[in-house]
Every structure is written in C-alpha cells, then in structure tokens.
Amino acid sequence: MHEYSIVQALLDRVASEARAHSAFAVHRIRVQIGEASGVEPDLLETAFELARTGTLCEAAELEIVPVPAKWECGSCGAEIGKGQILRCLPCERPARMVQGDEIVLERIEMEAA
Amino acid sequence: MCETCGCGDPEVVPIEVQESLLSENNRQAGHNREHFDSHGVLAINLMGSPGSGKTAVLEATARARESSGGLIALSGDLATDNDASRLQAAGIPSISITTGSACHLDARLVHRALHDLDWHDSEFLFIENVGNLVCPAIYDLGQAANVVALSVTEGEDKPLKYPVMFRAADLVLLTKVDLLPHLPQIDVGAIEDALARTMPNPQVIHVSATTGEGIGDWLDWLEARKSAESAVVT
C-alpha cells in the first residue's frame, strides 16, 4: 500500500515548511487527490491517522479535495468520456488527460509564534 | 501572537505549497535519468502482476540476442533474490533490490542499487519492478520507458481494473501467447479493446518467452526506442 509512502512524504514536507516558518503546530493540511492518480483517499486517511502520532501534525485536520478525471482531444478539445476509447475519432489523435492525476499538497495552516 | 485583535492566541499562518507529494521522488528520478542519459543507457521500468512473465521475457530477450552483452538488470522483490539469480543464469548481470514490505520501487532505492552494479557500459538497463499492478505505476524511477507485462491468463479486463498502471505504459507486452490455443474463452480483441480505453496511444506486442514468438519485435522496439532517445539526448 503506497499510501504510507505518500503520507511519509507529506509529513516530511510539512515538517520542513514548519521549520522554515518556526511553527510549532499544524492545524490543517489540504491535499488534492485525482480520481485517476492511483491514490485511494480512504487509505490515505488511514495511513495519515497512523503515521502522524508524535509529529507536528498530531492534531491536524487532513482535508482531501477529490479531483475528477477528465480526458480531451489534444487537437480539437472535445471531451472524451469515462470508459471510452481514448482517441478522438474525427481528429485521429490520442486523448490527453487534463485533470485527475493530482497528488498535490495544496496548503498548510500552521501555528506560528 | 495574534496581532489582529491582540487576544494573545498564537497566529495561524496559511502556507500555499501547490506541489506534488512525489516531488522528492521525482527529483531523485531526474537525477537517475541524467546518469542514464549521460552514459547512453536505455532504462526500462518493467512492471506487471506477480507471475505475468517479467523475468521470463528478460530471459528470452537474452536468448534472442546474439549474446546477452549490453543487458543488465535490477530486480525488485519483496523477500527473495530468485529473479536476479534467474537473470544472472541467463547471462544478464543482475542484482536484487529486496524491498521488505514495500510494494514498489522508488527512485532512491534504484539509485542506491546502481552503486552496486557496473551498469555504465551497458546498452539496456531493465528495472524489473515488484510484481504489482497498483503501486509501482506512480513512482518515476528515471526510466526512459514504462513497459507492462500482461499475460493472457490474467483476464481480459485487467487494464480496466488497473487503469493507472496501463495509462503509464509506453508498451504492453502481451505474454504467454503460446497458451492461447488452450484458452478458447480468452478473447485477445477484448484485451486490446480494454487497453484502448486506458492507454491513449496503445502499443502492444504479443510475445511468448517459451516459443520466442514476438521477441524479435520486442528487440526491434527496444532498438528503435534507443535510437530515438539518443537522438533526443545528443
């Protein structure tokens, strides 16, 4: 389950931001998780609950913003729906993913002296 | 202290980060990629289910070339070094990356293993990932291409069930095709249809490590990829 590795990267990044801003507690963390990112929000939360003990994030709220997957033709911009062949037939061009693969740390709210 | 109202409460500072949580891995992967490019080595991240035939394809690759010279491998495994031993026996210098409980390789593990392998003069470095259709897909290792081994016995809808893995693939090796005469229920067209719904530009080569079918096409693909990569790098 790679969600543990993702949470470890999250905690490391938050810790370094906290050091840089002389913060002593973290209130809230907001992440974006794409529907097609390969990261399961529920598992991410479970991993976060387990890994945050004894860290600055001990009492922090983890807000997960889901991002739906979206494909479109790289040429004409027509949307290619979920489950469809990932190709624009009129343009004969492969589709490209415009959103949905995000594994992004968006924002941290920290308590600073 | 809070300066807004003078209440004495600590100040809550919002920090906008807007950065991938994989950025540290991606930075390390970029470093690996620079190493590979500077030595003209084409690195392939070979992924697939446990038992999909990743090791067998590499053994067949060594057999099909005049000599196995120029091939080298890193093999990710939870608990054993069996795959690296098989590759070694096939003439491909290999070492194992034993991941313990980790379900995937990451760029740091690959970088560390590179120090123990004399890879600089090889043509192709195969990084055989841990057998798993989920976790390895999101970790960049510094490879030039992702190749996924999918065996005909795995079920036609595997690409639909594991879309992240197949979306990341530059090439799918449909393995064990010598078994197809014994599997009348398997519709190869359905597998290819599922791939077209998960890969924007599906490239598929049918191979059998047992009979050698398709291995020549796979070697051609590797050579073409290497030429294209050298053209970009130089």
Side-chain angles (χ1 to χ4, degrees), chain A residues 31-108:
Chain A
V31 296
Q32 290 175 19
I33 299 297
E35 179 190 4
S37 67
V39 173
E40 235 3 272
D42 287 349
L43 295 178
L44 194 69
E45 268 183 56
T46 308
F48 181 71
E49 290 303 322
L50 286 168
R52 67 173 166 172
T53 314
T55 73
L56 279 176
C57 297
E58 184 118 36
E61 183 192 338
L62 177 65
E63 185 189 351
I64 299 177
V65 182
V67 184
K70 213 171 148 187
W71 291 86
E72 66 178 31
C73 169
S75 191
C76 73
E79 191 170 337
I80 313 277
K82 213 174 167 174
Q84 307 242 298
I85 303 271
L86 295 177
R87 199 166 177 82
C88 179
L89 293 178
C91 300
E92 295 188 334
R93 291 281 300 275
R96 64 186 179 97
M97 180 172 267
V98 283
Q99 61 173 57
D101 62 350
E102 297 80 358
I103 308 174
V104 171
L105 171 57
E106 199 177 305
R107 181 178 221 252
I108 314 168

Side-chain angles (χ1 to χ4, degrees), chain B residues 89-233:
Chain B
I92 308 177
S94 308
I95 58 168
S96 221
I97 304 176
T98 309
T99 58
S101 56
C103 47
H104 59 273
L105 294 178
D106 65 20
R108 188 181 304 274
L109 286 169
V110 168
H111 185 257
R112 209 179 293 152
L114 288 175
H115 291 159
D116 299 327
L117 192 68
D118 189 12
W119 57 273
H120 302 85
D121 296 325
S122 56
E123 289 178 72
F124 298 100
L125 166 68
F126 297 106
I127 306 167
E128 184 182 343
N129 219 310
V130 178
N132 180 338
L133 278 182
V134 184
C135 313
I138 65 172
Y139 286 89
D140 185 5
L141 306 178
Q143 72 280 351
N146 282 327
V147 176
V148 178
L150 170 68
S151 61
V152 293
T153 52
E154 282 176 65
E156 294 144 345
D157 60 351
K158 277 294 174 292
L160 301 176
K161 287 184 171 175
Y162 300 93
V164 180
M165 171 61 71
F166 289 92
R167 192 180 79 233
D170 296 291
L171 173 72
V172 169
L173 293 174
L174 188 64
T175 61
K176 310 189 190 182
V177 293
D178 54 299
L179 295 179
L180 283 171
H182 310 288
L183 302 167
Q185 72 279 25
I186 297 292
D187 175 3
V188 172
I191 299 176
E192 288 181 341
D193 180 76
L195 288 172
R197 291 170 200 277
T198 44
M199 296 169 75
N201 197 12
Q203 289 190 55
V204 187
I205 300 178
H206 295 198
V207 299
S208 162
T210 305
T211 66
E213 180 185 343
I215 297 294
D217 294 338
W218 157 234
L219 289 177
D220 291 345
W221 186 89
L222 285 170
E223 292 294 346
R225 193 80 198 201
K226 190 158 195 311
S227 308
E229 200 72 19
S230 318
V232 172
V233 172

Side-chain angles (χ1 to χ4, degrees), chain A residues 13 103 105 107-108 110, chain B residues 13 15-16 18-19 21:
Chain A
R13 183 60 201 262
I103 308 174
L105 171 57
R107 181 178 221 252
I108 314 168
M110 313 190 274
Chain B
V13 190
I15 309 291
E16 295 296 330
Q18 300 292 356
E19 205 177 282
L21 284 169

